[in-house]
Amino acid sequence: MSAMEPDKRNDSASISNEIDAATIQPNIFLEGTHDAVVLLVVKPDGDFCYQAANRRYLEVMGLSMQRLLGKTPLEVHGKETGRHIVTHLQACVKACQPIQYEETLLIGGQMRSALVQLSPVVDEMGRVMQLLGSTRD
């Protein structure tokens, strides 16, 4: 590169495009999988609330984004099913490592069986801040 050529690595338009691409890529990944994927926040009080989900998760669970986002598993799924889900979420937080289990739940009037994997997302202090769940029929 000559002294007259601009350094493209610091060009704000290039950086903006890279940031946009980095934001789009996870969405392509989430929507491109056949797995149902959901992200939950672990609140400071130990409760959980839904932060994101892909279309497959919404289809399988018979939900809309409006019905899901910002709500707890008990609010979304009712007391019995919600408590059952929370038990697994708490186990993942306690283990601070991925857990996998087979699940059969009554969803939308149908019994559904699936293989579920929960993975913790930890901060720099080692605290579990989020849980990433994926479900495969």
Side-chain angles (χ1 to χ4, degrees), residues 7-27:
D7 183 356
K8 290 185 180 175
R9 289 175 293 163
N10 293 325
D11 176 60
S12 63
S14 294
I15 292 169
S16 178
N17 288 340
E18 288 176 22
I19 291 170
D20 289 344
T23 303
I24 292 168
Q25 292 305 320
N27 290 334

Side-chain angles (χ1 to χ4, degrees), residues 111-127:
M111 292 302 289
R112 297 191 70 116
S113 293
L115 183 62
V116 178
Q117 176 149 348
L118 295 173
S119 299
V121 178
V122 297
D123 67 7
E124 61 279 350
M125 301 295 288
R127 294 176 298 217

Side-chain angles (χ1 to χ4, degrees), residues 16-72:
S16 178
N17 288 340
E18 288 176 22
I19 291 170
D20 289 344
T23 303
I24 292 168
Q25 292 305 320
N27 290 334
I28 291 170
F29 172 75
L30 288 176
E31 295 304 336
T33 182
H34 292 288
D35 292 348
V37 181
V38 66
L39 184 66
L40 295 104
V41 172
V42 181
K43 293 180 172 181
D45 66 1
D47 206 357
F48 305 92
C49 71
Y50 292 98
Q51 184 177 25
N54 69 355
R55 273 182 249 164
R56 179 73 180 137
Y57 184 86
L58 297 173
E59 289 169 5
V60 167
M61 300 304 280
L63 299 168
S64 68
M65 279 293 192
Q66 286 181 319
R67 172 98 169 85
L68 183 73
L69 297 185
K71 298 196 173 67
T72 68

Side-chain angles (χ1 to χ4, degrees), residues 66-110:
Q66 286 181 319
R67 172 98 169 85
L68 183 73
L69 297 185
K71 298 196 173 67
T72 68
L74 274 72
E75 291 172 320
V76 173
H77 303 289
K79 285 184 181 179
E80 185 177 334
T81 300
R83 285 185 183 140
H84 182 76
I85 291 169
V86 167
T87 299
H88 291 293
L89 300 175
Q90 290 169 334
C92 185
V93 169
K94 184 176 180 180
C96 198
Q97 64 183 15
I99 64 170
Q100 188 172 323
Y101 57 95
E102 192 163 336
E103 185 72 272
T104 301
L105 291 174
L106 181 62
I107 305 291
Q110 295 180 327

